Structure formats: structure tokens, C-alpha cells
Amino acid sequence: MGKNTRRVNVGGVIIGGGESVKIQSMCTTKTSDVEGTVAQINALESAGCQIIRVSVLDDDDAIAIKSIKDKINIPLVADIHFSYKLAIAAIENGCDKVRINPGNIGGEQQIKAVADCIKAHKIPVRVGANTGSIEKQYLAKYGKNEHSLVESALHNVRILEREGISDIVISVKASSVPLTVAAYSLLSQKCDYPLHIGVTEAGTEQMAVVKSSAALGALLLDGIGDTMRVSITDDPVKEIYAARRILRAVGLDENFVDVISCPTCGRCMWNSMELAKKITQKVEYIRKPLKVAVMGCVVNGPGEAKDCDIGIAGAQDYCVIFKGGEIIKKIPSADAEDIFMAEIEKLIND
């Protein structure tokens, strides 16, 4: 259970207030390409995305939101910078939440016009800062660090608060893992708004997953974070898979089949690595709390995996299947995969 933040309703999906951490992504399509955008959103939803964001660069994008909303099932967030008119158009066309920084959409009158529109449609707002958008006065005062990131974000929050808006989600992203963790940790101490956590510009898949796991894992284990995005320069569906795995790793999603496997050593006389990969792939999308072990040797395997629902360990000519650390079957190595897979299926379908 994380920090007790305010509850914010995004199109029926609740962020904050002790609810589960919600997974987000952002479309890479041009928003005015309704067919392409809807197809991508549906693929993301199938993978486990709970909130989707689209960019609004022009009037065609804003108008397309209405058509997109009619064809999708998850809440849609419109991302706008520098144009108060586009912010209003996106809201009027039905977005469930808007991502703006009021400090960059115009003067007092323009901010008031957007705020009035937000209040009229009763939608929430995400504001924030990243290392490329820190307000100049805070950059001059603090330099590029967690203090300038947080103060810049809170500056934009205060603008909205003055206009009577309180359904706010905040983000303070950096491409640096230590800076991301420091900024969100500081922000969490300074407010009770729900936080959208993520590492910005995290890179291509392998490094992006490592950076996001390090930063978001540290924050989530500390009870910080109400909604998250894993940014990857690739197909955004990969962001959803990575986010789910992070939530599983930190214990915030227990409704899955956890496959544990040893790295093997010189004692391993059978191909446990290959079986571990096959089982992991097979159970990836099963929503049932089970723990399955694939262990290299019979010397340590059953004892080390005593808390598993079922496990397998091998020797040169045979494998053993065990439950609760106790061996229940001894089988030929050649038949191990088929027999063990059948045992797992029984548990899944139980």
C-alpha cells in the first residue's frame, strides 16, 4: 500500500487514494489517423494498458478525439503544449483527462479559459516538469536537480489551484535514474496529489527497461507512485509488458504465475534453461497466483523451492517433480517437459 494520496477519477479509472497502480502508455500514431490510433489503443488495452495518452498537435487531432473515444474502452488523455485553443478543443471533443503545463499555454486570460473548460467538463489534469521543461526561474535558482524539477511542477499546480482546480496528477520525470527517484521522493513529501511516475527518454528497449525498473521499482517499494509509464523507444505494447513485470517484481501484482528458476551451475545435467523459458512464455498471461520452480539439480532444487506450488529439478537421466519441497514423482528426463507442463495445466485449471 502506497502513500495515501488524493483520489482522481480518469474516465472511471481511479488514480490514487490507495487504489492499485495504473499502467499507462502513449500512442505513437498521428492522432488524426483515427483507424491507426484505435488499432494501437486496442492492442495496448489487450496487453494490459489502463489509460492511454495521445498527442494533440493541431485541430484535426483534437477533433479526432471524439471518433476515437467512440471506438475504445479505456480512458483517453490529451497531451497539449503551448496552445490553449487546442486544450479547449481536446476537452470539448471528449478527452477524459488533459496533460498541460498552464505556464506554457498563454497568459492569465488563456489559462482561465482552459481552467473554466476543465471545470465545466469535470475532468482531471496532469501537470509536471521534466529536465527539458523546468521553469527558468527555478533552473536559475537551483540548477538542474530535484529541487528545480519539483518547484517547477508545483508552480504549475499553484496556477491551477488559483483557478479552483483540485483534480490534479503530477509528474517530475528525468532521464537520469537517481534524479527521477530524488525528485519523486521530494515531491511526495511536499504534496498529497497522486503521482504519475516514469523515466523520460529512457531509450531503446533493453536499457529503457533497466532504467525504468531501477527507478520505478525503488519508488514503488517506498510507497511512491499511483500511475506509471515505462517509456521505450519501440512498439508501445512493450511498455505495458515491462510495467506489468515491474509491478509483479515489487509485489503489487500477485495475480500471476511466478516462474522461479536457478541460473544453473556445473551440477546441472539437463536442459533446465530451455524448459524455464518455455514455461515462462506459456504462463505469461495466466491470471492466477501460482509459483512454479524450474531448478537445475536435485541436490538443492526441492529445498530451495520449498515454497512453490510445484517444481521440477533434474539429474543426468531423470527429473523429479516436487510440491512443498517433497518429491512426488521421478520421471525420465526425456519426458520431463510434457509431464511437468501437464502438472502445471492441472494447477491452472483447478
Side-chain angles (χ1 to χ4, degrees):
M1 185 67 70
K3 180 183 172 183
N4 191 24
T5 53
R6 303 184 190 189
R7 288 167 63 89
V8 171
N9 187 332
V10 183
V13 173
I14 305 299
I15 294 174
E19 293 285 329
S20 61
V21 177
K22 301 304 188 293
I23 298 171
Q24 299 197 29
S25 185
M26 187 171 184
C27 287
T28 57
T29 54
K30 176 80 170 116
T31 305
S32 56
D33 172 12
V34 173
E35 187 178 332
T37 301
V38 168
Q40 190 171 74
I41 293 171
N42 288 337
L44 287 161
E45 184 193 2
S46 295
C49 183
Q50 293 162 291
I51 298 171
I52 187 63
R53 182 159 45 112
V54 298
S55 57
V56 177
L57 301 178
D58 52 38
D59 289 332
D60 289 342
D61 287 343
I63 292 164
I65 287 172
K66 186 174 176 59
S67 299
I68 293 166
K69 280 284 298 171
D70 288 339
K71 297 176 174 67
I72 64 172
N73 305 306
I74 57 176
L76 184 144
V77 181
D79 191 295
I80 302 106
H81 291 282
F82 309 115
S83 172
Y84 83 99
K85 288 182 179 177
L86 287 178
I88 289 171
I91 296 165
E92 289 180 341
N93 277 281
C95 67
D96 297 294
K97 176 180 164 192
V98 67
R99 192 273 186 257
I100 58 169
N101 271 0
N104 72 24
I105 60 169
E108 195 174 318
Q109 280 188 316
Q110 287 87 354
I111 292 168
K112 186 178 185 333
V114 174
D116 287 345
C117 190
I118 288 166
K119 287 184 287 187
H121 288 80
K122 296 182 172 61
I123 65 165
V125 188
R126 171 156 80 90
V127 301
N130 61 46
T131 43
S133 68
I134 298 171
E135 304 285 337
K136 289 178 183 176
Q137 65 265 39
Y138 300 111
L139 202 54
K141 183 176 180 180
Y142 298 107
K144 191 179 284 188
N145 58 30
E146 66 269 28
H147 298 286
S148 56
L149 266 173
V150 168
E151 289 305 318
S152 184
L154 291 177
H155 165 81
N156 282 283
V157 168
R158 286 189 288 268
I159 294 172
L160 291 174
E161 288 174 334
R162 285 196 293 270
E163 297 296 336
I165 292 173
S166 58
D167 281 345
I168 299 170
V169 179
I170 314 178
S171 62
V172 281
K173 296 183 179 183
S175 58
S176 156
V177 168
L179 180 51
T180 297
V181 173
Y184 278 108
S185 298
L186 179 61
L187 181 59
S188 178
Q189 295 167 21
K190 285 179 170 284
C191 74
D192 66 350
Y193 286 112
L195 303 183
H196 171 100
I197 60 174
V199 177
T200 193
E201 298 145 7
T204 53
E205 186 177 6
Q206 287 190 336
M207 197 59 192
V209 170
V210 171
K211 289 174 78 171
S212 296
S213 299
L216 306 191
L219 290 166
L220 292 166
L221 285 168
D222 207 22
I224 298 168
D226 302 283
T227 181
M228 64 188 284
R229 180 192 178 190
V230 175
S231 295
I232 302 176
T233 308
D234 209 316
D235 181 346
V237 167
K238 293 183 178 182
E239 300 184 351
I240 307 306
Y241 296 150
R244 286 170 52 184
R245 289 168 185 148
I246 291 170
L247 289 175
R248 290 172 177 182
V250 299
L252 293 178
D253 178 6
E254 297 179 346
N255 194 27
F256 72 105
V257 182
D258 187 10
V259 180
I260 70 162
S261 58
C262 72
T264 81
C265 66
R267 285 191 297 268
C268 184
M269 302 292 180
W270 68 297
N271 197 354
S272 68
M273 283 189 187
E274 191 60 33
L275 182 57
K277 289 174 187 174
K278 285 181 180 178
I279 291 169
T280 300
Q281 190 173 29
K282 184 180 178 67
V283 303
E284 174 76 21
Y285 307 109
I286 303 295
R287 301 295 287 167
K288 186 163 185 177
L290 289 173
K291 198 167 184 181
V292 175
V294 182
M295 308 300 284
C297 72
V298 294
V299 177
N300 294 331
E304 288 183 354
K306 196 169 187 175
D307 64 336
C308 291
D309 295 288
I310 194 163
I312 189 168
Q316 190 162 3
D317 302 317
Y318 68 92
C319 288
V320 294
I321 294 175
F322 54 89
K323 290 183 179 180
E326 298 297 322
I327 294 171
I328 60 166
K329 282 184 184 178
K330 183 177 176 180
I331 55 177
S333 296
D335 302 328
E337 181 179 328
D338 290 342
I339 294 172
F340 191 54
M341 286 285 196
E343 291 287 341
I344 294 169
E345 289 276 2
K346 280 185 209 170
L347 287 175
I348 289 169
N349 296 323
D350 232 2

